[in-house]
Amino acid sequence: MRIAIDARTLRTSTGRYVERLIHYLQKIDDRNDYIILLKPKDMDSWQADNPRFQKVACPFAEFSFAEQLGFKKQLEELRPDLVHFAMVQQPVWYRASPVVTTMQDLTTVRFNNPDKNPVVFWVKQQIYKWVNKKVARKSAHIITISEFVKRDLVDFTGVSPDKITVTLESADELPKGNDPVKELVGKKFIMYIGRPTPHKNLRRLIDAFELLQQKHPELILALAGKKDGNYARHEAYVTERGMTNVVFTGFVSDEQLRWMYEHAAVYCFPSLSEGFGLPGLEAMLHGAPVASSTATCLPETHGDAAHYFDPYSTEDMARAIDELLTDEKRRRDLIKKGKQHVKTFSWQRMAEQTLAVYERYGRKDTNS
């Protein structure tokens, strides 16, 4: 078969999934040919390791009219036997070949983004809801990254659970470096890495940290991630409350992130909604004890290797973090469990399961 993979998200914060998928497909598949569709700016940064893989520039932005018209035409001209969209955004009326869609989660359906114009965001959100239902129904098959998302999609879109395959993600060891986060060197800190949008629940984490400071005045809260309008709101909130010891690191490299995981007293995952929860596994892999929300897929992903709290209760969040700070045996046991738990996940297995979906739903009898 000729299989086209939409990898426009390759170099984004959510691109790890498609990057790892393509990486392992190159290792395991020597029968099919692949067309990897990349944003023009990413063409030079990705090189194929397998001669059956070729890259093609796809200049059509997500959620645009050009995506609906131009991308549809590009795919029709490429004539693949199957298209795998690694996200729900796609030409919704494309039907020239079978489509497999990975639907990561329904978070955008349920949560607003204060960094966007509220009226424009509401309109886009209604369109996004329609797109999710349309894509779920017209795709030959759907892939989700957790059982929770599978159940959520069945409830939201009405599709049969038999139409959905779950392929769990995994965690990679991050590269070592010699560039620690200077503000945290020699400090005792709890940490979070990721976006600061409302469903990430950072306001309650900041409030929980304020409670923890009464018992642990030397403790630091490190919030890592590219600064934007939402992070600016959190910084203003910290300033208004006269809080100290909250460090907004901004963007950190993979080497710095590894250093943070290895030196954190606790990794806290306060989220209200996730599709998988990859940073928690990364933290476990690098030896950080994880305090996790009980929301959505996180108990499924973290299993018995995390210490849980109610994400809507700042007091319960503070309790869970405090117990990991003060109970050394619990902390050691959780770190040991975490390192074992991560071993149960595999990117290669995810790629093998995805390839099985291709083989089942792709069109094999064409002369394209």
Side-chain angles (χ1 to χ4, degrees), residues 182-246:
K182 294 180 176 56
E183 304 98 313
L184 303 176
V185 174
K187 307 293 186 180
K188 186 176 184 179
F189 63 93
I190 59 177
M191 67 168 286
Y192 163 86
I193 173 74
R195 297 165 61 203
T197 41
H199 73 276
K200 297 297 187 178
N201 206 27
L202 296 192
R203 181 62 58 85
R204 288 193 180 92
L205 174 56
I206 292 169
D207 289 343
F209 176 69
E210 191 171 27
L211 295 176
L212 286 165
Q213 282 188 301
Q214 298 171 19
K215 185 175 179 181
H216 306 277
E218 80 292 351
L219 191 64
I220 288 176
L221 171 61
L223 302 176
K226 183 179 178 182
K227 291 189 178 182
D228 62 8
N230 283 310
Y231 258 129
R233 289 182 180 86
H234 292 308
E235 287 187 278
Y237 180 72
V238 167
T239 300
E240 288 166 9
R241 296 185 70 82
M243 295 177 65
T244 58
N245 287 10
V246 181

Side-chain angles (χ1 to χ4, degrees), residues 101-106 110 132-133 136 142-144 147-159 164:
T101 301
T102 298
M103 303 182 76
Q104 304 274 346
D105 59 56
L106 292 172
R110 300 195 173 98
N132 271 272
K133 292 179 179 179
I142 298 164
I143 293 171
T144 65
E147 290 287 347
F148 171 83
V149 176
K150 176 179 178 176
R151 295 191 299 270
D152 205 20
L153 273 176
V154 168
D155 292 342
F156 183 73
T157 67
V159 300
I164 303 174

Side-chain angles (χ1 to χ4, degrees), residues 34-174:
Y34 289 84
I35 303 162
I36 308 302
L37 296 153
L38 300 168
K39 290 181 177 177
K41 66 180 181 65
D42 296 331
M43 288 290 285
D44 292 337
S45 69
W46 183 83
Q47 304 297 329
D49 298 321
N50 183 325
R52 287 187 173 273
F53 286 67
Q54 64 166 309
K55 56 185 176 181
V56 172
C58 180
F60 308 108
E62 303 93 326
F63 295 116
S64 68
F65 287 112
E67 178 181 58
Q68 297 306 313
L69 302 175
F71 194 10
K72 176 177 179 289
K73 182 179 179 182
Q74 182 183 33
L75 288 170
E76 290 167 347
E77 291 173 349
L78 288 169
R79 299 179 65 200
D81 299 313
L82 179 139
V83 181
H84 181 188
F85 294 104
M87 54 187 171
V88 73
Q89 303 95 294
Q90 60 187 262
V92 293
W93 288 284
Y94 173 78
R95 294 186 179 276
S97 61
V99 165
V100 170
T101 301
T102 298
M103 303 182 76
Q104 304 274 346
D105 59 56
L106 292 172
T107 297
T108 305
V109 166
R110 300 195 173 98
F111 289 87
N112 295 326
N113 186 344
D115 203 29
K116 307 293 183 183
N117 179 290
V119 175
V120 173
F121 185 83
W122 182 86
V123 171
K124 288 185 175 180
Q125 193 175 48
Q126 305 318 302
I127 296 171
Y128 187 71
K129 290 177 182 179
W130 176 84
V131 167
N132 271 272
K133 292 179 179 179
K134 174 76 173 177
V135 165
R137 290 165 186 165
K138 70 107 173 178
S139 295
H141 202 67
I142 298 164
I143 293 171
T144 65
I145 56 177
S146 65
E147 290 287 347
F148 171 83
V149 176
K150 176 179 178 176
R151 295 191 299 270
D152 205 20
L153 273 176
V154 168
D155 292 342
F156 183 73
T157 67
V159 300
S160 168
D162 295 336
K163 193 178 182 177
I164 303 174
T165 294
V166 177
T167 66
L168 300 176
E169 296 185 341
S170 186
D172 294 304
E173 186 173 339
L174 296 170

